[in-house]
Amino acid sequence: SQQGEEDPQALSIQEGENATMNCSYKTSINNLQWYRQNSGRGLVHLILIRSNEREKHSGRLRVTLDTSKKSSSLLITASRAADTASYFCATDDTGGFKTIFGAGTRLFVKA
Amino acid sequence: DGGITQSPKYLFRKEGQNVTLSCEQNLNHDAMYWYRQDPGQGLRLIYYSQIVNDFQKGDIAEGYSVSREKKESFPLTVTSAQKNPTAFYLCASIEGKENTGELFFGEGSRLTVL
């Protein structure tokens, strides 16, 4: 089944820096989502971008989508220690009934 | 507050035992999902249900079973046939029958086989 793949697998930055995570996927999609997971917790939805959108913002988050390259990026600006978490991209399958997750990027923000 | 409740949070099982993980939602969502997460990895879909009394296998359904007798409830049974059941299990739901929006997740159940 199709799956998003995040890059890098892990990222360590200083507080105040920007963090960029990338996601690639294999087949056509209706939408792409980004989720956050704190250690040992459930996932929390961050943002959804539809296939006809190219960029979306939410607070310190900026998501881009390039359907021609089958890729998306998540930018977190002015990162904080509290942003330390794993971030996953997720895509719908072509049937529209399942959400497929990538392996995630582990972000560590040093105070 | 509306949300998804998973229980128990931690569960220990001896080899050969079946265990059932509970998932309850009060969001009035139609579709519910069970995912498995192994350390440092993404989520893999076990089963999903779009409506009551109907469910479909996901990518790794072998050794698992589910039921959907009520809209609010989607329990997962990890059977003795599951060869490597130690993992973190996440339940999720979505409004509507199709996957067109945000998934809401529970806080997970961590199963350890002794």
Side-chain angles (χ1 to χ4, degrees):
Chain A
S1 58
Q2 74 177 69
Q3 184 178 37
E5 295 184 1
E6 286 90 342
D7 170 59
Q9 289 185 320
L11 180 62
S12 180
I13 59 174
Q14 293 290 141
E15 205 166 31
E17 294 180 340
N18 294 343
T20 299
M21 289 158 267
N22 303 296
C23 169
S24 60
Y25 56 92
K26 298 176 184 175
T27 63
S28 296
I29 60 172
N30 295 315
N31 62 62
L32 184 143
Q33 303 179 59
W34 285 91
Y35 288 81
R36 166 191 168 129
Q37 183 183 35
N38 287 0
S39 182
R41 306 291 297 275
L43 278 70
V44 175
H45 183 264
L46 294 176
I47 197 165
L48 179 151
I49 186 166
R50 302 199 182 280
S51 59
N52 61 354
E53 297 175 310
R54 291 296 168 260
E55 187 171 312
K56 203 162 183 179
H57 296 256
S58 177
R60 293 185 295 114
L61 305 180
R62 173 179 171 252
V63 170
T64 61
L65 179 63
D66 187 335
T67 53
S68 67
K69 295 181 179 178
K70 293 186 171 59
S71 67
S72 173
S73 68
L74 171 68
L75 169 67
I76 303 174
T77 60
S79 63
R80 305 165 182 167
D83 294 328
T84 294
S86 292
Y87 293 82
F88 296 89
C89 72
T91 56
D92 55 322
D93 76 324
T94 50
F97 300 124
K98 299 188 290 184
T99 301
I100 309 297
F101 288 82
T105 292
R106 300 177 71 178
L107 173 65
F108 182 64
V109 181
K110 293 177 282 188
Chain B
D1 286 337
I4 298 182
T5 301
Q6 289 188 240
S7 64
K9 190 168 179 62
Y10 299 97
L11 185 61
F12 297 89
R13 185 193 98 173
K14 293 182 180 179
E15 285 192 19
Q17 287 182 333
N18 292 355
V19 294
T20 297
L21 308 180
S22 170
C23 178
E24 303 279 333
Q25 56 101 355
N26 60 3
L27 299 166
N28 199 34
H29 285 176
D30 291 302
M32 298 184 73
Y33 302 80
W34 274 105
Y35 289 91
R36 169 181 171 140
Q37 185 177 32
D38 292 286
Q41 300 199 18
L43 280 65
R44 291 185 290 168
L45 183 64
I46 305 172
Y47 267 98
Y48 63 103
S49 168
Q50 295 167 267
I51 56 172
V52 175
N53 293 322
D54 186 55
F55 48 82
Q56 307 296 328
K57 291 182 179 180
D59 300 317
I60 55 165
E62 185 175 353
Y64 299 98
S65 66
V66 294
S67 63
R68 187 84 186 276
E69 298 177 0
K70 299 186 298 182
K71 188 175 184 179
E72 315 83 67
S73 179
F74 190 41
L76 173 74
T77 296
V78 184
T79 75
S80 57
Q82 169 51 235
K83 298 306 178 188
N84 185 21
T86 294
F88 190 51
Y89 291 88
L90 287 158
C91 180
S93 70
I94 190 169
E95 188 174 7
K97 299 179 178 58
E98 294 187 2
N99 165 39
T100 57
E102 174 185 350
L103 279 168
F104 289 79
F105 282 86
E107 287 296 299
S109 292
R110 187 169 299 280
L111 172 63
T112 302
V113 174
L114 303 173

